Amino acid sequence: MEMQASTADLSSDAKMVETYHEDAVHDAQFDFYGSKLATCSSDRTIRVFDVQKGEAVGAGETLVGHEGPVWQVAWAHPSFGTILASASYDGKVFIWKNEPANGSYGSGGWARIKDHALHTASVNAIAWAPHELGATLACASSDGRVSVLTFNEDGSWSVDLVAAHPGGCHAVSWMPVSTATTEPGAPMMCRLATAGCDAVVKIWEFSEEHNRYVEIDQLKQHRDWVRDVAFAPSLGLARTYLATASQDRTVLIWTQDTPNDPWKCTPLLPGAKPEDRTKFADTVWRVSWSVSGNVLAVSCGDGKVSLWKENLKGDWECISDLDA
C-alpha cells in the first residue's frame, strides 16, 4: 500500500522562503525528509516548494480547489508515497498525491486523490496517525465532530465519524505507538486526543469489538476552550506525555505511566505573581514538542514563545522566553 503522520519541523538553518500567497499564511510544514515545504493561506491555495540546503528551488507548485481559507496542511509518512492533506474553512479535507516522473522523488505532478466532505463546518485541524497504524488521518471540525479517514489495502477509503465536542473541535493529536504498547507482542493501541469549545480533552481508542473509535477518558481541568493538544514523541519509556493549551491562559502537562493508569496533571507556572502562577499573559494557542520529546514550545497570544523542560525532580521549568 502506498500512501505517518509525522512532519519534519522547520530546520534551524532554514532560510526565508517567498510563498507567493496573496493573503495570510496559516501553516507551513516540511515533509519527512525536509526536501519539500507546503504552505497554505486564506487565499484558498496551497503552495509546495522543493527545498535544498534550506532554500526554495524554483517557484513551487500551486494546488487549488478549496473554496475557503486553508488552515492546515499535513504530510503523510513517505512509506505511503508523496502524500499531502489539507484542511479548510469550506468543511473539506483534500488528500493530494505527487506522482513521480522517471522514478525520481517528487518530480511529477500533483493530483487530488480524495475529497473528504462529510463535515458541515470548518475543518480546523488534521493529523496523520503513526505510520505503524497505516495511512489514517484524523480531522477535527467546528461542527463538533471528529472523522478518522483510513486508506484500505484494496484502494478504498473508510471513515469513522464521531460526535466529540459540542460547539466545535479545535485540535487533534495521535498517541505514539511505542508508548501505547507495554508488553512485547501485545497488539498496538490506536489512541488519539481531541479538544474543543467544551473545555474538555477527550481520549479515544479504536475498539476491535465495535469496529470504531470509542471515548475512553475525559480530562477536565481547563476552564475555557482548549485550543491545542499535543502528544510528545516517544522517549522509549512506558510513560505518555500530553500537553494541552487553552483560552483560559493555561498549559497543562498530562502524564500516564501505563495505558491503563489514571492521568496526572501538572500546570506550567509562568506567572510572576504567586497568585497568578498558572496563568500565561494571554490565550495559549499552540503547544509543540521537540523531535526528542523533552522540550515543549508554547505559543501565546501576547506574541511570545516560551520553551519548557522537565527537570530531574519532575518539575517543569522555562528555559527560554522569546518575543516573536
Side-chain angles (χ1 to χ4, degrees):
M1 178 179 64
E2 230 190 34
M3 270 278 306
Q4 174 181 300
S6 64
T7 56
D9 293 329
L10 298 180
S11 60
S12 58
D13 61 345
K15 301 175 177 62
M16 184 70 71
V17 174
E18 174 60 60
T19 63
Y20 302 97
H21 285 294
E22 297 178 356
D23 210 331
V25 176
H26 297 294
D27 197 16
Q29 296 288 335
F30 278 120
D31 71 352
F32 185 86
Y33 298 112
S35 61
K36 285 187 177 294
L37 175 69
T39 63
C40 61
S41 167
S42 281
D43 66 9
R44 302 181 294 179
T45 69
I46 300 151
R47 301 280 297 181
V48 182
F49 302 88
D50 290 320
V51 178
Q52 294 181 7
K53 297 180 179 180
E55 295 184 333
V57 178
E61 297 181 72
T62 303
L63 310 184
V64 298
H66 281 296
E67 299 172 344
V70 186
W71 302 131
Q72 195 169 10
V73 288
W75 293 95
H77 191 273
S79 61
F80 304 122
T82 309
I83 304 293
L84 180 70
S86 57
S88 170
Y89 178 81
D90 63 13
K92 298 177 182 178
V93 174
F94 292 158
I95 297 180
W96 313 78
K97 183 176 182 180
N98 184 250
E99 295 288 358
N102 302 321
S104 59
Y105 170 78
S107 59
W110 286 91
R112 213 162 80 206
I113 61 172
K114 177 63 178 177
D115 291 10
H116 177 43
L118 292 182
H119 289 287
T120 58
S122 173
V123 180
N124 303 315
I126 50 177
W128 291 99
H131 69 95
E132 297 92 339
L133 302 176
T136 299
L137 181 73
C139 315
S141 172
S142 289
D143 65 12
R145 300 182 296 175
V146 173
S147 59
V148 182
L149 190 63
T150 301
F151 183 72
N152 302 311
E153 292 285 353
D154 62 2
S156 65
W157 294 84
S158 58
V159 62
D160 187 8
L161 194 64
V162 298
H165 299 274
C169 186
H170 299 303
V172 60
S173 179
W174 292 88
M175 179 185 287
V177 165
S178 57
T179 62
T181 303
T182 58
E183 297 180 3
M188 290 186 294
M189 291 184 184
C190 189
R191 290 184 177 181
L192 66 156
T194 62
C197 297
D198 56 0
V200 177
V201 176
K202 294 186 178 182
I203 310 297
W204 306 80
E205 180 176 313
F206 184 77
S207 168
E208 294 287 351
E209 178 183 355
H210 298 93
N211 194 33
R212 65 174 305 167
Y213 286 84
V214 297
E215 181 185 320
I216 61 170
D217 218 338
Q218 292 189 7
L219 311 180
K220 293 184 174 182
Q221 291 294 324
H222 285 295
R223 296 294 177 261
D224 207 335
W225 292 9
V226 183
R227 289 292 184 179
D228 201 14
V229 292
F231 277 108
S234 172
L235 296 175
L237 304 174
R239 174 176 288 185
T240 298
Y241 288 82
L242 175 68
T244 60
S246 173
Q247 191 92 15
D248 65 9
R249 297 161 47 202
T250 67
V251 173
L252 304 178
I253 306 296
W254 304 84
T255 57
Q256 189 180 44
D257 291 332
T258 73
N260 296 318
D261 286 340
W263 289 89
K264 301 174 184 177
C265 177
T266 303
L268 298 189
L269 304 176
K273 300 178 180 179
E275 66 272 18
D276 200 28
R277 283 282 283 160
T278 62
K279 300 287 186 180
F280 283 79
D282 207 329
T283 297
V284 186
W285 289 93
R286 301 285 289 178
V287 282
S288 178
W289 295 93
S290 63
V291 175
S292 61
N294 62 348
V295 176
L296 180 71
V298 176
S299 303
C300 190
D302 63 353
K304 293 184 178 180
V305 176
S306 54
L307 303 181
W308 297 77
K309 188 172 183 179
E310 187 178 20
N311 62 27
L312 295 177
K313 296 180 180 179
D315 299 322
W316 288 84
E317 299 176 333
C318 182
I319 59 174
S320 180
D321 200 348
L322 308 172
D323 286 320

